[in-house]
């Protein structure tokens, strides 16, 4: 059976523990982030205050508090706490733990909270082994996973648990966590005399990408490096050594954010795949949200390519889906593929300009009624009022082309979309020209027929 440590180790043990473990919140008041779960009156806070625990699956990114919340819940109920890793456990070990849980309940009247980290790594048989003990109340199962429980957890087990979703911590949360660790003299670095500049703090916040454990691990490494210097200051050089990579100057919310995304957009518009890849890498390697980039690529596909290559929007959406599906860092090549495609595609802003002209017309001209001949006429009364009168069903005409005007009479001659000669729009321009000739031919035939009558 795995060793069952106390909820919080001795002072000596904690002194030797990593900074991220030493700074683990000891109560809900110290916990930062996930306010929708731990704030006053929220579900996890209520469970702790009422000491009525139920089995829960914590689903969220690394370093967002899954393990800490499990420990706090167990502590609130004064329960027997067993941490367990799905990476190393088998069915035999699971059954041993279950027997111990039964013994604790039978002889000591004590509830057992079993915390299973990376529970998605358990196979079906291992997950099934929990079921009878969860149902009987011998254990409260708290599982942590970074994967979607709907896909990774058996439906039978999932139906007996409550799934709570944790989100990456925001910059303010990470900032407070880091400053607390720097200033805390009991558990943190407060006795070391180390200094952390505002600039270095912001770099550290950005590099952690919403992961408190990453932030504290980087801080601890950088502190070890800075501790041997005369100034004892954690600066960009110390952070670079701790992170083992260059600290990229990029503010995801500041001016540089807009400068670099503008550089990517203009590089693609200028059909420069090399520049496009460079600016893409600048953003991704600095920690930019890949889905933000994907959204901008989707916009570019319609705004600057449009019908010159209709496949561009398909490629951009495929990159967005791939980014959402596999995440970073694997999604970098999907985004790079889209960037190269968009950069080398023929360019046209005719769709963008066409919509802009149509929108201007909507705002500047009166709201014209829909012409009667293209209105639907589902009732006899509407037919008597002239609805659908004169409508021409395009499929009944040669090449499905008629002289029917579908704009209000006052706008009948307005043209919003004007295709270019580039890419597929050259074919569209040819088609529109042919349709115009056919319409003129039909109008001429109609006029001759009227004269003969």
């Amino acid at each position: 059976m795995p060793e069952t440590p106390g909820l919080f180790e001795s002072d000596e043990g904690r002194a030797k523990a990593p900074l991220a473990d030493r700074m683990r919140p000891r109560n809900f008041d110290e916990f930062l982030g996930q306010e929708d779960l731990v704030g006053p009156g929220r579900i996890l806070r209520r469970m702790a205050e009422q000491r009525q625990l139920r089995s829960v699956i914590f689903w969220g990114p690394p370093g967002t508090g899954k393990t800490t919340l499990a420990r706090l819940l167990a502590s609130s109920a004064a329960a027997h706490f067993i941490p367990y890793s799905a990476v190393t456990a088998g069915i035999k070990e699971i059954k041993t733990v279950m027997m111990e849980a039964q013994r604790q309940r039978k002889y000591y009247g004590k509830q057992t909270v079993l915390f299973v980290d990376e529970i998605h790594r358990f196979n079906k048989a291992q997950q099934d082994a929990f079921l009878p003990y969860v149902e009987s109340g011998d254990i409260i199962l708290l599982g942590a996973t970074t994967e979607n429980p709907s896909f990774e957890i058996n439906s039978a087990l999932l139906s007996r648990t409550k799934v709570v979703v944790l989100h990456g911590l925001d910059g303010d949360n990470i900032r407070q966590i880091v400053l607390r660790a720097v200033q805390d003299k009991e558990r943190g670095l407060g006795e070391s005399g180390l200094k952390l500049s505002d600039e270095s703090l912001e770099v550290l916040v950005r590099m952690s990408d919403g992961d408190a454990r990453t932030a504290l691990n980087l801080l601890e490494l950088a502190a070890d490096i800075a501790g041997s210097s005369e100034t004892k200051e954690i600066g960009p050089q110390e952070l670079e050594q701790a992170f083992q990579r260059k600290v990229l100057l990029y503010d995801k919310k500041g001016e540089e954010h807009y400068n670099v995304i503008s550089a990517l957009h203009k590089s693609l518009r200028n059909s420069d795949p090399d520049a496009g890849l460079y600016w893409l890498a600048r953003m991704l390697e600095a920690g930019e949200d890949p889905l933000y980039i994907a959204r901008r690529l989707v916009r570019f596909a319609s705004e600057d390519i449009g019908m010159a290559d209709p496949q561009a929007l398909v490629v951009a959406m495929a990159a967005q889906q791939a980014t959402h599906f596999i995440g970073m860092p694997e999604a970098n090549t999907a985004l790079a593929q889209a960037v190269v495609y968009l950069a080398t595609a023929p360019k046209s802003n005719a769709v963008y300009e066409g919509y802009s002209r149509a929108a201007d017309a909507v705002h500047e001209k009166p709201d014209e009624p829909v012409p009667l001949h293209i209105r639907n006429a589902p009732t006899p009364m509407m037919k008597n009022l002239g609805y659908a009168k004169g409508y021409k069903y395009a499929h009944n005409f040669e090449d499905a082309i008629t002289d029917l005007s579908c704009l209000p009479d006052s706008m009948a001659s307005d043209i919003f979309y004007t295709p270019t000669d580039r890419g597929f729009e050259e074919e569209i321009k040819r088609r529109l020209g042919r349709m115009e000739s056919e319409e003129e031919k039909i109008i001429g035939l109609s006029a001759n027929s009227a004269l003969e009558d």
Side-chain angles (χ1 to χ4, degrees):
M1 189 179 77
E3 183 180 356
T4 307
L7 287 179
F8 301 103
E9 299 176 3
S10 65
D11 291 341
E12 182 180 356
R14 291 192 64 82
K16 297 177 182 178
L19 179 64
D21 190 56
R22 301 201 308 269
M23 294 304 301
R24 194 182 296 279
R26 295 164 293 190
N27 52 58
F28 281 102
D29 291 333
E30 289 186 0
F31 193 92
L32 293 171
Q34 319 306 336
E35 286 81 6
D36 57 329
L37 299 175
V38 302
R42 299 295 183 171
I43 180 170
L44 297 185
R45 177 74 73 118
R46 287 203 314 271
M47 285 172 59
E49 291 174 347
Q50 296 170 5
R51 296 189 175 187
Q52 294 181 348
L53 304 189
R54 59 174 296 185
S55 294
V56 174
I57 301 295
F58 299 101
W59 174 29
T64 51
K66 298 186 290 294
T67 301
T68 296
L69 287 174
R71 287 179 175 271
L72 291 176
L73 286 175
S75 177
S76 68
H80 182 53
F81 183 80
I82 302 178
Y84 215 70
S85 174
V87 178
T88 58
I91 292 180
K92 182 179 178 181
E93 291 82 3
I94 293 172
K95 289 183 176 179
T96 302
V97 172
M98 297 301 103
M99 295 295 291
E100 173 62 16
Q102 285 182 319
R103 192 179 72 85
Q104 289 283 336
R105 187 182 184 194
K106 182 177 180 179
Y107 294 106
Y108 302 104
K110 199 168 188 179
Q111 202 169 34
T112 294
V113 171
L114 178 65
F115 174 66
V116 182
D117 196 17
E118 299 189 86
I119 193 171
H120 60 275
R121 291 180 178 266
F122 274 143
N123 59 36
K124 184 180 186 300
Q126 290 170 314
Q127 292 183 28
D128 285 344
F130 289 123
L131 285 175
Y133 303 98
V134 172
E135 287 184 328
S136 66
D138 287 330
I139 65 166
I140 297 294
L141 176 64
L142 302 180
T145 178
T146 56
E147 304 295 329
N148 190 329
S150 299
F151 303 134
E152 305 296 338
I153 309 297
N154 290 352
S155 58
L157 186 58
L158 200 60
S159 68
R160 292 163 175 80
T161 61
K162 167 69 176 176
V163 176
V164 297
V165 181
L166 281 72
H167 304 284
L169 303 181
D170 62 28
D172 288 338
N173 293 148
I174 297 292
R175 200 172 289 112
Q176 291 179 64
I177 289 169
V178 170
L179 289 175
R180 179 186 292 171
V182 171
Q183 298 164 2
D184 193 307
K185 294 183 178 181
E186 179 186 352
R187 297 178 295 156
L189 306 173
E191 294 287 354
S192 64
L194 289 168
K195 304 171 185 175
L196 181 68
S197 68
D198 291 342
E199 179 185 3
S200 295
L201 173 61
E202 294 309 310
V203 170
L204 189 55
V205 169
R206 175 166 53 81
M207 291 164 72
S208 67
D209 196 25
D211 184 331
R213 187 183 301 109
T214 295
L216 292 174
N217 287 343
L218 287 173
L219 174 63
E220 187 170 28
L221 286 171
D224 289 342
I225 296 167
S228 58
S229 67
E230 292 183 4
T231 61
K232 288 193 174 185
E233 182 172 348
I234 300 175
Q237 184 176 353
E238 287 74 22
L239 289 175
E240 285 183 13
Q241 291 184 53
F243 200 47
Q244 290 295 294
R245 63 188 290 182
K246 179 181 178 183
V247 175
L248 300 173
L249 299 177
Y250 180 76
D251 180 0
K252 288 198 288 186
K253 294 183 179 179
E255 180 182 353
E256 194 66 7
H257 163 83
Y258 298 103
N259 289 342
V260 178
I261 195 63
S262 175
L264 173 63
H265 199 123
K266 290 179 173 64
S267 298
L268 299 184
R269 183 181 290 155
N270 202 46
S271 301
D272 189 337
D274 296 314
L277 287 172
Y278 172 76
W279 295 117
L280 171 69
R282 274 281 293 271
M283 286 186 286
L284 289 179
E285 296 302 312
E288 178 59 83
D289 178 6
L291 284 173
Y292 168 76
I293 300 173
R295 289 193 294 271
R296 301 312 306 164
L297 295 181
V298 170
R299 169 67 183 191
F300 180 90
S302 292
E303 179 179 340
D304 287 275
I305 297 174
M307 294 306 296
D309 183 355
Q311 190 68 16
L313 183 57
V314 177
V315 170
M317 282 304 302
Q320 184 273 337
Q321 288 294 311
T323 300
H324 180 73
F325 181 63
I326 63 176
M328 289 295 290
E330 290 87 352
N332 56 3
T333 52
L335 292 170
Q337 180 178 342
V339 162
V340 170
Y341 189 99
L342 299 179
T344 55
K347 304 299 187 296
S348 170
N349 68 345
V351 168
Y352 171 77
E353 292 290 343
Y355 179 81
S356 297
R357 283 190 283 268
D360 288 342
V362 168
H363 290 288
E364 294 170 3
K365 296 184 179 182
D367 291 337
E368 298 282 1
V370 175
L372 288 175
H373 59 271
I374 59 172
R375 295 188 190 188
N376 195 23
T379 67
M381 183 193 75
M382 297 171 85
K383 288 181 181 179
N384 292 335
L385 291 174
Y387 282 43
K389 184 179 182 180
Y391 173 68
K392 297 178 181 180
Y393 186 57
H395 295 289
N396 292 337
F397 292 80
E398 184 179 355
D399 292 329
I401 297 173
T402 76
D403 61 343
L404 188 71
S405 175
C406 295
L407 281 169
D409 290 342
S410 65
M411 302 170 64
S413 61
D414 287 5
I415 296 175
F416 301 120
Y417 174 61
T418 305
T420 67
D421 295 322
R422 296 186 289 277
F424 187 69
E425 279 197 326
E426 183 178 14
E427 171 63 15
I428 294 175
K429 189 173 185 179
R430 185 189 67 78
R431 292 181 189 179
L432 288 175
R434 184 163 166 266
M435 285 189 281
E436 186 177 349
S437 297
E438 288 294 325
E439 288 174 8
E440 290 175 352
K441 179 180 176 182
I442 293 170
I443 292 172
L445 290 174
S446 298
N448 290 334
S449 176
L451 289 174
E452 289 174 1
D453 291 344

